[in-house]
Amino acid sequence: MKRFALIGAAGYIAPRHMRAIKDTGNELVLAYDINDSVGIIDSLSPQSEFFTEFERFIERGWQLKREKSAALDYVSVCSPNYLHHAHIAAGLRLDSDVICEKPLVPTPEVLDELALVERETGRRVYNILQLRHHQAILDLKDKVVRLARDGKYDVELTYITSRGKWYMESWKGDPRKSYGVATNIGVHFFDMLHFIFGKLQRNVVHFSDACKAAGYLEYENARVRWFLSIDALDLPDSVKGKKPTYRSITVDGVEMEFSEGFTDLHTVSYQEILAGRGYGIEDARHCVETVSVIRSAAPVVPRNDEGHPLLESLA
């Protein structure tokens, strides 16, 4: 049984990590968040210690480190994006491996800094890249590898996940903390595209504001038009009033269904990490580079057929 600590216990994604820790037969012994709305701990790990001050959390981690049988094996990081770097480094320096939510960090330069802390501590950082474990994604990757055709696939990615007014009032609506909508809701999709279609060759942004972004990506094996949004008005008519989220990927005009099967992917990710098959810093580098370019790129007018169809609604 491995001993876990969790940073960001009151966040949206934290219960999935708590469940993954429990379902893999391990123990959450220490948790931290500046907010105290963490009653979910009672149903998953009622014996866990909890702190609302980071200094007390870290001190407790150091105390546990003194006794080998009590020391932390892993620290899971579910905190706001802009704190990932500091919290990962703190976990490594507790002599623990670290499992962190996406996006791992904002830029390749910060990845290099984390790699340095890995070498200093002899510990590892793992990123939750859950779509790499989705069966529909694995099947498509297998198809692309098997067919090895000459031309590139034409891909259209659309992800609309409705968010209320609270979003812009939270850290997620502050680009200094979330790094913007393309990074916050899109980084794992960009990782998925790289995972399936190979290295990125071209990255163009067509639209970007606080609520949505769109652009064009060209990979070794695919030409991708993408659109990401947190605006419910962008939902297709067939979905409005029925579901708050719309995910769609079409490959050569054929839609690939992957709306289902997301629930247990964090548990699968933990199983893989615990078995020594987790995704580390270099696995995350490609998608970190992709979103870093998207954040800094000036939007341009689409050329030829590179614009996503939903761009017309933004004119």
Side-chain angles (χ1 to χ4, degrees):
M1 180 180 289
K2 301 297 184 182
R3 293 167 60 81
F4 280 78
L6 189 147
I7 297 174
Y12 165 79
I13 206 67
R16 296 191 192 182
H17 286 258
M18 294 181 197
R19 174 63 66 184
I21 291 166
K22 181 177 180 179
D23 287 351
T24 53
N26 298 296
E27 182 183 11
L28 177 64
V29 299
L30 189 60
Y32 157 76
D33 202 292
I34 60 172
N35 299 304
D36 59 9
S37 298
V38 292
I40 185 70
I41 292 177
D42 288 344
S43 62
L44 295 172
S45 185
Q47 301 306 313
S48 172
E49 294 186 72
F50 174 71
F51 297 95
T52 57
E53 295 159 319
F54 192 68
E55 295 84 355
R56 295 177 64 214
F57 167 82
I58 286 294
E59 177 59 23
R60 184 59 178 143
W62 277 102
Q63 290 172 352
L64 294 173
K65 183 182 173 183
R66 294 193 186 112
E67 186 177 343
K68 188 173 182 181
S69 62
L72 299 169
D73 298 294
Y74 290 89
V75 174
S76 296
V77 175
C78 307
S79 52
N81 300 348
Y82 74 107
L83 294 173
H84 285 180
H85 175 209
H87 287 161
I88 291 168
L92 292 172
R93 290 179 176 126
L94 284 174
D95 199 24
S96 304
D97 289 337
V98 175
I99 300 172
C100 185
E101 262 300 331
K102 57 82 183 170
L104 193 58
V105 289
T107 66
E109 291 75 19
V110 183
L111 280 181
D112 294 338
E113 171 65 22
L114 283 184
L116 177 60
V117 182
E118 275 193 331
R119 293 194 294 272
E120 290 172 345
T121 60
R123 288 297 187 168
R124 288 287 311 277
V125 179
Y126 298 99
N127 198 193
I128 296 291
L129 299 173
Q130 70 268 36
L131 290 183
R132 295 191 182 204
H133 302 300
H134 195 294
Q135 192 57 52
I137 304 302
L138 292 170
D139 291 344
L140 178 57
K141 179 179 173 65
D142 180 64
K143 177 182 176 181
V144 170
V145 172
R146 280 189 296 103
L147 293 183
R149 70 183 203 180
D150 293 332
K152 299 190 179 194
Y153 292 88
D154 284 309
V155 178
E156 193 171 284
L157 167 66
T158 309
Y159 179 49
I160 303 164
T161 179
S162 307
R163 295 291 183 261
K165 294 180 180 179
W166 68 267
Y167 187 95
M168 300 309 295
E169 292 296 321
S170 74
W171 65 265
K172 296 183 179 185
D174 184 343
R176 298 169 301 175
K177 296 180 177 181
S178 69
Y179 310 122
V181 69
T183 299
N184 192 49
I185 71 168
V187 66
H188 56 309
F189 289 107
F190 298 131
D191 174 71
M192 173 198 71
L193 291 168
H194 158 61
F195 180 65
I196 298 171
F197 297 112
K199 291 182 179 179
L200 183 62
Q201 299 173 331
R202 188 160 165 253
N203 186 348
V204 181
V205 175
H206 296 146
F207 184 90
S208 181
D209 70 9
C211 295
K212 61 197 79 176
Y216 174 80
L217 298 163
E218 190 160 329
Y219 294 87
E220 290 177 286
N221 295 303
R223 303 168 66 253
V224 182
R225 301 182 294 176
W226 59 271
F227 182 91
L228 305 170
S229 174
I230 59 168
D231 187 349
L233 296 177
D234 291 324
L235 289 169
D237 291 337
S238 60
V239 172
K240 285 180 181 176
K242 301 175 184 176
K243 295 181 180 180
T245 299
Y246 176 75
R247 299 181 184 92
S248 174
I249 295 182
T250 62
V251 180
D252 288 345
V254 178
E255 185 160 21
M256 183 183 75
E257 175 54 47
F258 75 121
S259 292
E260 306 300 328
F262 279 81
T263 309
D264 299 322
L265 292 183
H266 277 73
T267 296
V268 175
S269 296
Y270 270 66
Q271 289 169 340
E272 292 296 298
I273 290 167
L274 291 162
R277 298 186 294 268
Y279 293 114
I281 286 176
E282 292 310 311
D283 297 297
R285 186 173 295 275
H286 196 283
C287 63
V288 168
E289 291 174 341
T290 300
V291 294
S292 181
V293 170
I294 288 172
R295 284 197 307 275
S296 61
V300 299
V301 176
R303 70 187 195 191
N304 302 324
D305 60 346
E306 293 178 357
H308 191 283
L310 286 178
L311 277 175
E312 296 179 5
S313 66
L314 306 180

